[in-house]
Amino acid sequence: MIDKQKVKSLVDQWLEGKDYFMTDLVVDSDDRIVVEIDHKDGVWIDDCVALSKFIEAHLDRDTEDYELEVGSAGIGQPFKVVQQYLNNVGNEVEVLTCDGVKLQGLLEAADDEGFTVVVKKKVKPEGAKRPKLVDEDMRFAYCEVKVVKAVIKF
């Protein structure tokens, strides 16, 4: 079986000095290797090919037969690593909490512990005839959400 740590080390070695980062690595029992990378400005197919060739050059097909897939994290896919949150600060995101609450707002900040989303809420001020929209900062720890992904607008 292909050693996942060895593949991770190869990916890390290729990523060194580049603005890319790894979002996921899977090595299953059938020696199917799936590597996902991302970049703030998107992923180029040429870079996926280069990473794939780099990994293949350091693994021996005579020792173990494997299937290798290298791709991007994908537009509209849920965030998997903190760097994706950091890259999307200032963008609209959709959040599904572990409690099943779905909300949408502006990703205002992110750090190693969690992130802050600004959502619009209707509030009826005392004495007012109609409710008005106000911004509310909502802070989440990563463990409090099931899914967070960028909102795609055309």
Side-chain angles (χ1 to χ4, degrees):
M1 183 163 165
I2 301 286
D3 180 23
K4 183 176 181 176
Q5 193 57 42
K6 179 177 182 177
V7 177
K8 182 183 181 321
S9 175
L10 290 171
V11 173
D12 289 343
Q13 187 178 343
W14 185 85
L15 292 172
E16 195 171 310
K18 295 177 178 70
D19 289 333
Y20 281 101
F21 55 94
M22 184 170 52
T23 59
D24 201 11
L25 170 62
V26 177
V27 179
D28 69 18
S29 59
D30 294 327
D31 284 339
R32 181 170 180 262
I33 305 166
V34 180
V35 180
E36 282 185 6
I37 57 174
D38 204 353
H39 186 284
K40 183 176 182 179
D41 299 322
V43 175
W44 296 97
I45 188 72
D46 294 343
D47 291 322
C48 292
V49 171
L51 174 56
S52 179
K53 287 180 178 180
F54 181 82
I55 294 169
E56 285 178 351
H58 291 85
L59 294 178
D60 184 7
R61 283 208 183 263
D62 293 333
T63 305
E64 296 198 73
D65 189 28
Y66 60 88
E67 178 183 340
L68 176 61
E69 180 182 323
V70 176
S72 70
I75 193 165
Q77 294 298 310
F79 298 162
K80 296 178 182 176
V81 296
V82 174
Q83 188 63 47
Q84 290 175 297
Y85 289 84
L86 295 171
N87 288 349
N88 281 281
V89 168
N91 296 330
E92 287 271 331
V93 293
E94 186 176 282
V95 178
L96 176 61
T97 69
C98 290
D99 298 336
V101 176
K102 193 174 186 179
L103 54 100
Q104 188 171 320
L106 184 74
L107 182 58
E108 184 177 56
D111 56 37
D112 289 338
E113 284 78 43
F115 61 97
T116 303
V117 176
V118 178
V119 296
K120 302 258 185 220
K121 288 204 168 185
K122 284 186 179 181
V123 176
K124 185 176 178 186
E126 193 174 316
K129 292 182 179 182
R130 295 189 175 148
K132 62 184 208 177
L133 286 176
V134 296
D135 290 343
E136 180 180 330
D137 289 357
M138 298 185 77
R139 177 81 180 163
F140 296 96
Y142 296 113
C143 64
E144 296 176 318
V145 295
K146 285 184 185 178
V147 175
V148 177
K149 57 187 177 179
V151 173
I152 309 303
K153 294 184 180 181
F154 295 97

